[in-house]
Amino acid sequence: MERIFCLLIGYAFGLFQTAYIYGRLHGIDIRNYGSGNAGTTNTLRVFGTKAGLLVLLGDIMKCILAVVITGVVFGDSHPDMVYLLKMYTAAGAIIGHNFPFYLKFKGGKGIAATAGLILSFHPYLIPMGIILFFGAFFITHYVSLGSLLVYAGFLIELVVLGQMGIFGMSQAFLTEMYLIAGFLTVMAYWKHRENIKRLVSGTERKTYLTHKSTGAEENTENKSAQG
């Protein structure tokens, strides 16, 4: 029952579609522009850096808040599985972000929400996530590459830390947590499948923090691009 509750709490927070709300406040549906994705990168490309950072913050915070609430609610009553429950909550938030029912399940790709998971789950996960994403981004300017590397690094580090006893859970709970993280990783790679094809072919679009594309330019972009 606790697992279902955490999933639902996370999903409810994930439904706060920051990019969609920001677009509506400015008279557009962000999903009809640029890549068609309701996420940070597409917002940055369509509206500019300030908008992209606001959306990034909103999507990060919704996952952080959901995970923190889970820790407060279950930290004392379920100390032996609180990290597992936090993972369920974060999974719900990422799924809610990616597949919001009220937007016909067309949301984002979950990377900013995943950043919220990494920032709120355990301090040991933060440095690697920062290094992988910003290292890849500033070297290549491919947001998708940085995002994919973060997920791979997150899953590997989670397993290593778990087996070192950092989370203080039984092996059964650890294995369950790894499976959830593995599911999130597979979902992220599936959501980025078109980006992966373009990365391989060398046609992936680069993103620059100082660049703002025009609506007309973005609206002609392939709808499967990174957002």
Side-chain angles (χ1 to χ4, degrees):
M1 180 60 71
E2 294 86 0
R3 293 168 174 80
I4 295 175
F5 177 79
C6 289
L7 273 173
L8 292 176
I9 285 291
Y11 188 81
F13 273 86
L15 292 177
F16 186 84
Q17 292 290 312
T18 317
Y20 177 79
I21 293 170
Y22 187 93
R24 281 302 189 190
L25 290 174
H26 290 77
I28 71 167
D29 184 341
I30 189 69
R31 299 172 303 162
N32 294 329
Y33 290 79
S35 67
N37 189 64
T40 298
T41 307
N42 197 35
T43 304
L44 186 151
R45 289 174 177 168
V46 175
F47 286 109
T49 303
K50 181 180 178 180
L53 291 176
L54 286 173
V55 169
L56 174 66
L57 180 62
D59 287 344
I60 288 175
M61 287 305 302
K62 67 187 179 187
C63 190
I64 289 178
L65 289 173
V67 171
V68 168
I69 288 173
T70 298
V72 171
V73 173
F74 294 106
D76 292 332
S77 60
H78 296 76
D80 60 328
M81 62 182 301
V82 66
Y83 281 103
L84 174 61
L85 295 178
K86 287 181 178 181
M87 186 63 73
Y88 271 103
T89 300
I94 294 167
I95 292 170
H97 175 81
N98 290 353
F99 307 105
F101 73 90
Y102 67 97
L103 296 179
K104 298 181 180 179
F105 302 98
K106 184 182 178 183
K109 294 183 179 179
I111 300 304
T114 300
L117 161 61
I118 293 173
L119 290 171
S120 60
F121 196 76
H122 196 284
Y124 286 178
L125 295 168
I126 298 174
M128 183 64 73
I130 292 174
I131 292 170
L132 287 174
F133 180 80
F134 287 103
F137 175 72
F138 285 121
I139 291 172
T140 68
H141 293 284
Y142 292 137
V143 173
S144 56
L145 179 61
S147 302
L148 294 169
L149 288 176
V150 166
Y151 250 111
F154 165 68
L155 180 58
I156 293 170
E157 190 174 12
L158 186 76
V159 173
V160 171
L161 293 176
Q163 295 309 118
M164 289 173 60
I166 297 298
F167 303 119
M169 294 194 299
S170 68
Q171 188 59 52
F173 287 156
L174 285 171
T175 301
E176 188 176 352
M177 183 175 71
Y178 302 155
L179 290 174
I180 299 169
F183 165 76
L184 293 176
T185 302
V186 170
M187 181 171 65
Y189 275 69
W190 180 78
K191 293 284 284 185
H192 285 81
R193 60 195 182 280
E194 296 300 326
N195 303 91
I196 294 172
K197 292 178 183 177
R198 290 192 295 274
L199 285 168
V200 172
S201 65
T203 59
E204 176 70 323
R205 182 178 178 182
K206 295 185 177 183
T207 298
Y208 298 89
L209 295 179
T210 57
H211 175 69
K212 176 182 176 182
S213 301
T214 64
E217 173 192 343
E218 287 293 337
N219 205 30
T220 61
E221 186 182 320
N222 189 314
K223 291 296 182 179
S224 63
Q226 165 67 25

